[in-house]
Amino acid sequence: MTSCTQGPARAVPETPAGLVRFNSLPVAEAAAALREVCSCAAWVRILLARRPYATVGDLLGAQDAATAALSAADLAEAVAGHPPIGRPEPGDALAAREQRGMAGASERLRREMLELGLRYQDTFGHVFLICATGRSGEEMRDALRERIGNPPRREREVVRSELGKINRIRLTRLAEAGEERP
């Protein structure tokens, strides 16, 4: 007779309430929630098509694949949904929270960011996009100074990477947030 011993039982991670809620939303409501994360229609369609998500990791993996697959036009559409650093739209609590590193910035730093940001826009045709969460105003300015000299193709890939970071933070918040939106 052969004895079969089992190892310790593995804990199955509980699906966060926000992810359960997101998975169960009607398509139009789920699309609206995703548009709050990223304004690119192609990205929203890709994430909607892969629902339901068993884990936050599955959702983030789908996000990574969707962001990597964005065309140049799709990427431009996604970036157009972001306000300039230090100048979120009035009432845009999400952008204000993400850009809080600029909240206490000096007037000099704000002017410098505006001037550099406008130069960046003239060079690349869109706002400077950076995952601002946890960064100081000085760190964002330094990144802007560095990236303004990038060739367009290189900068497009940096923007894609930064967009992916932003989307991951926002999706994690959505998935873990119960009734809250990102």
Side-chain angles (χ1 to χ4, degrees), residues 119-130:
R119 199 166 98 213
Y120 179 96
Q121 277 184 264
D122 287 344
T123 302
F124 297 107
H126 58 79
V127 299
F128 172 69
L129 186 71
I130 189 168

Side-chain angles (χ1 to χ4, degrees), residues 16-164:
L19 185 56
V20 170
R21 179 180 175 278
F22 173 71
N23 283 332
S24 66
L25 287 174
V27 173
E29 289 180 42
L34 289 172
R35 280 192 301 275
E36 290 180 28
V37 172
C38 181
S39 61
C40 175
W43 182 90
V44 169
R45 279 192 306 275
I46 292 168
L47 267 72
L48 282 175
R50 294 186 177 179
R51 277 192 327 158
Y53 295 97
T55 67
V56 175
D58 292 342
L59 176 62
L60 297 178
Q63 184 295 134
D64 294 344
T67 300
L70 295 178
S71 69
D74 295 333
L75 191 57
E77 180 184 8
V79 172
H82 290 267
I85 296 293
R87 295 182 285 142
E89 295 289 324
D92 186 348
L94 178 60
R97 179 175 59 224
E98 291 173 343
Q99 296 183 21
R100 80 174 137 238
M102 286 297 294
S106 69
E107 192 54 42
R108 179 179 176 185
L109 178 57
R110 287 181 183 282
R111 268 193 320 276
E112 188 174 8
M113 285 296 288
L114 176 61
E115 291 167 11
L116 286 167
L118 291 173
R119 199 166 98 213
Y120 179 96
Q121 277 184 264
D122 287 344
T123 302
F124 297 107
H126 58 79
V127 299
F128 172 69
L129 186 71
I130 189 168
C131 182
T133 301
R135 292 182 186 247
S136 70
E138 290 80 7
E139 289 171 317
M140 289 183 268
R141 178 207 52 216
D142 294 347
L144 177 50
R145 281 180 181 162
E146 180 182 321
R147 287 174 45 195
I148 204 163
N150 280 344
R153 176 177 275 166
R154 168 75 181 126
E155 184 57 19
R156 186 171 42 255
E157 292 314 308
V158 173
V159 167
R160 184 183 308 276
S161 174
E162 293 298 314
L163 177 67

